[in-house]
Amino acid sequence: MAATTDEELVALAVEASKNAVAHHSNFHVGAALETADGTVYTGCNVESDSFGLTICAERVALTKALSEGEREFSRIAVFGEQLGGAGRFGGNSGGLGPCGACRQLLWEHCGDVKVIGATAEGGVGKVWRLAQLLPDAFDSR
């Protein structure tokens, strides 16, 4: 699975969100993480009754990629859709960004990648470099 445009990467994140397990929040999130060679790994959020065990879409995509031996990344797209009137998450008016925990793990394993925040309608919204979203990041390297 390869994406060449930001729009195509967002479309893959939208597709991944359809697999979300979001029985508590009804907030379905999908992520599409692109490697340096153009391979894309997707992920969706998976909620747990023990909230601390919930895993975000970005971390699912990252874990899949790392477990397959990938170590170089170029960009990630993140999409979220609120279903069922459970409230609004993420201030998604201009593009959804990763949560703090995901920003940290992305920084550690991906570096200063391009982050594409999809709009609630599935379009390309805000676009950042990860360093903008995580200034003065903790880095043990």
Side-chain angles (χ1 to χ4, degrees), residues 34-110:
E34 184 182 58
T35 67
D37 72 2
T39 304
V40 176
Y41 292 85
T42 60
C44 64
N45 57 318
V46 179
E47 294 181 351
S48 170
D49 291 340
S50 176
F51 292 123
L53 297 178
T54 293
I55 186 166
C56 299
E58 300 92 310
R59 285 184 274 162
V60 169
L62 178 61
T63 303
K64 286 169 64 175
L66 292 171
S67 71
E68 295 299 319
E70 300 290 354
R71 296 295 183 267
E72 294 184 28
F73 303 93
S74 59
R75 60 188 171 152
I76 187 169
V78 183
F79 168 79
E81 180 177 24
Q82 182 65 58
L83 302 177
R88 191 167 181 90
F89 293 80
N92 195 11
S93 59
L96 181 66
C99 74
C102 288
R103 291 175 191 197
Q104 179 62 38
L105 279 172
L106 288 168
W107 181 263
E108 289 179 33
H109 298 285
C110 302

